[in-house]
Amino acid sequence: MPDAPRPAWIEVDLGAIRRNVSRVGERLSRGTQIMAVVKADGYGHGAVPVARAALQAGATWLGVILVEEGIRLREAGIDAPVLLLHEAPANRLDEALANDLTPVVFTEQGLVSIGEAAERAGRTVRVHLKIDTGLNRLGVLWRHAEELAAAIAKEGRVEIEAIFTHFAFADDPTNAFIDTQLQRFNETCERLAVLGIEPAFRHVANSAASITRPDAHYDAVRLGIAMYGLSPGPKCDGIVDLDPAMTLRARVARVTRVSAGEAVSYGHTWRATRDATIASIPLGYADGWARGLSNRAPVLIGGRRYPAVGTVCMDSFMVDLGDDGCAVGDEAVLIGAQESERVTADEHAAALNTINYEIVTRMSPRLPRVYLDG
Ligand SMILES: *Cc1c(COP(=O)(O)O)cnc(C)c1O
């Protein structure tokens, strides 16, 4: 067990990241590249180590949201192409270009800003044109893509390297709306081709579509959640073997016995119905262990599952071991495997009425990340 600077930490298995990337890679159509999506600090796993592992396993592109996320990759010496999946704010474009981050464009104003930044940098800037085919979030609406593309062509210093879109269903690749979006995307590509705009790089698929929809593979897939070893949704379960990369561990900070009738933690929301051993775990909602897990999360100690009891505090919560014992310093696994037991991010997601994406992404920078590179 590697030593962590705090008795509550996240262990990230980079071997798992590499295996997940390779396994998805094996299913891709020939020539389809992988863009490893490492936004939000690699979904809470640590963007730089994850990016390196993904590149080792065959990914050729990286995707982030913020300019500073891209700069962190560059500062770590990563020189793979990095796409900024959102339009960068005008006041960060000089830095984006200086760090060779690839901007996305989908508004007239965004194009003007990129044109000006290209002018200041004295070079041509290649961009990815983001098309909104029905998510209605970001991107130029597919019906208006020609106008923006024509404006880009006129700009002179801005070149369209790629065209892409994003699905409204990240969990259900069988949804018929995926077909609608693919059809709109293909039509848009055809209409742009008529204008002489035929970028040889088109990317559409998220994890779910990477796994299940070869017709959405195009020239690259943007792989997020599956790379971290989590299933995009029940309809994707069991298709590819995925190894969860994140394990959340902590060491028991105190062990005590409470008598029947005594209550535990703020507000006394849990009361012992029999004498019980109570272990205190030194992490809480400030670390991303949601307060909503109060009285609802299983915890592994000594290879067995025990219930978390009482209200989750900012920096700690308690576990009921019944008549079993444990010692201060024993290891608890909060997400991940211990002996033959396992607690998954999906279980937490179900308890909190959310998705596994949020469970791993919400883990605070307060929790040290320890990397296994086996
Ligand atoms: C986050 C993101 C992805 C990755 O999605 P997953 O479902 O995690 O694979 C792909 N494309 C865009 C535009 C994204 O924002």
Side-chain angles (χ1 to χ4, degrees):
M1 189 51 50
D3 213 21
R6 187 190 152 184
W9 70 101
I10 284 173
E11 185 182 279
V12 178
D13 181 354
L14 298 175
I17 300 278
R18 284 193 292 264
R19 288 191 296 280
N20 297 331
V21 170
S22 316
R23 286 175 191 153
V24 173
E26 283 161 16
R27 302 179 61 85
L28 296 179
S29 320
R30 182 199 281 271
T32 299
Q33 301 180 51
I34 294 179
M35 178 182 296
V37 180
V38 296
K39 63 192 180 193
D41 201 23
Y43 291 36
H45 294 66
V48 166
V50 167
R52 285 204 185 103
L55 293 167
Q56 283 164 3
T60 49
W61 273 80
L62 299 170
V64 296
I65 301 290
L66 306 178
V67 173
E68 46 269 45
E69 291 176 336
I71 291 176
R72 269 181 63 198
L73 299 172
R74 293 291 182 244
E75 284 173 350
I78 293 171
D79 57 12
V82 174
L83 182 63
L84 299 169
L85 294 161
H86 285 188
E87 254 183 11
N91 63 357
R92 304 303 301 276
L93 274 169
D94 291 345
E95 277 171 284
L97 298 189
N99 284 279
D100 206 17
L101 307 175
T102 302
V104 155
V105 63
F106 52 80
T107 66
E108 294 280 349
Q109 189 49 52
L111 172 59
V112 168
S113 301
I114 292 172
E116 288 167 358
E119 190 71 39
R120 288 192 296 273
R123 67 169 171 98
T124 301
V125 173
R126 287 195 297 265
V127 299
H128 290 205
L129 177 61
K130 183 170 192 158
I131 312 289
D132 188 335
T133 53
L135 176 58
N136 285 316
R137 183 175 72 178
L138 297 169
V140 60
L141 274 184
W142 56 287
R143 313 180 204 95
H144 301 309
E146 283 161 285
E147 288 136 67
L148 185 60
I152 294 172
K154 259 210 259 144
E155 220 297 328
R157 283 204 187 268
V158 183
E159 229 171 69
I160 301 177
E161 173 177 60
I163 159 168
F164 75 107
T165 192
H166 192 48
F167 289 132
F169 290 85
D171 58 336
D172 178 8
T174 62
N175 193 289
F177 197 68
I178 299 230
D179 298 316
T180 303
Q181 287 189 272
L182 281 175
Q183 201 180 336
R184 290 174 178 176
F185 182 73
N186 290 334
E187 267 175 48
T188 306
C189 290
E190 281 163 27
R191 283 189 284 110
L192 293 184
V194 171
L195 299 179
I197 300 165
E198 289 179 273
F201 195 40
R202 292 161 302 161
H203 49 93
V204 172
N206 51 18
S207 290
S210 304
I211 292 170
T212 59
R213 297 284 307 234
D215 57 335
H217 286 173
Y218 294 89
D219 305 301
V221 298
R222 300 187 305 270
L223 192 63
I225 198 75
M227 170 169 68
Y228 302 98
L230 300 176
S231 175
K235 297 224 164 105
C236 303
D237 285 354
I239 296 172
V240 193
D241 232 1
L242 296 173
D243 297 335
M246 178 185 285
T247 301
L248 176 58
R249 300 182 191 271
R251 293 195 184 282
V252 171
R254 191 191 71 155
V255 182
T256 192
R257 284 288 284 178
V258 298
S259 309
E262 279 195 90
V264 168
S265 194
Y266 287 132
H268 280 183
T269 61
W270 180 84
R271 194 169 293 279
T273 54
R274 31 121 185 94
D275 294 1
T277 303
I278 300 293
S280 302
I281 308 296
L283 97 177
Y285 61 77
D287 300 301
W289 183 263
R291 193 167 178 280
L293 291 174
S294 297
N295 291 306
R296 337 197 35 176
V299 170
L300 308 180
I301 298 175
R304 295 191 56 184
R305 245 174 201 259
Y306 297 105
V309 293
T311 304
V312 171
C313 311
M314 192 182 293
D315 308 290
S316 43
F317 71 93
M318 274 57 83
V319 179
D320 170 22
L321 279 76
D323 279 330
D324 294 345
C326 74
V328 168
D330 279 1
E331 192 181 295
V333 170
L334 315 183
I335 295 175
Q338 194 182 50
E339 297 176 30
S340 57
E341 282 288 346
R342 175 179 282 282
V343 178
T344 63
D346 289 286
E347 277 179 76
H348 284 205
L352 292 167
N353 192 24
T354 181
I355 52 177
N356 53 21
Y357 293 70
E358 188 181 5
I359 300 301
V360 289
T361 304
R362 65 178 305 161
M363 290 300 158
S364 157
R366 240 178 152 213
L367 291 170
R369 269 62 171 173
V370 173
Y371 293 93
L372 297 188
D373 210 351

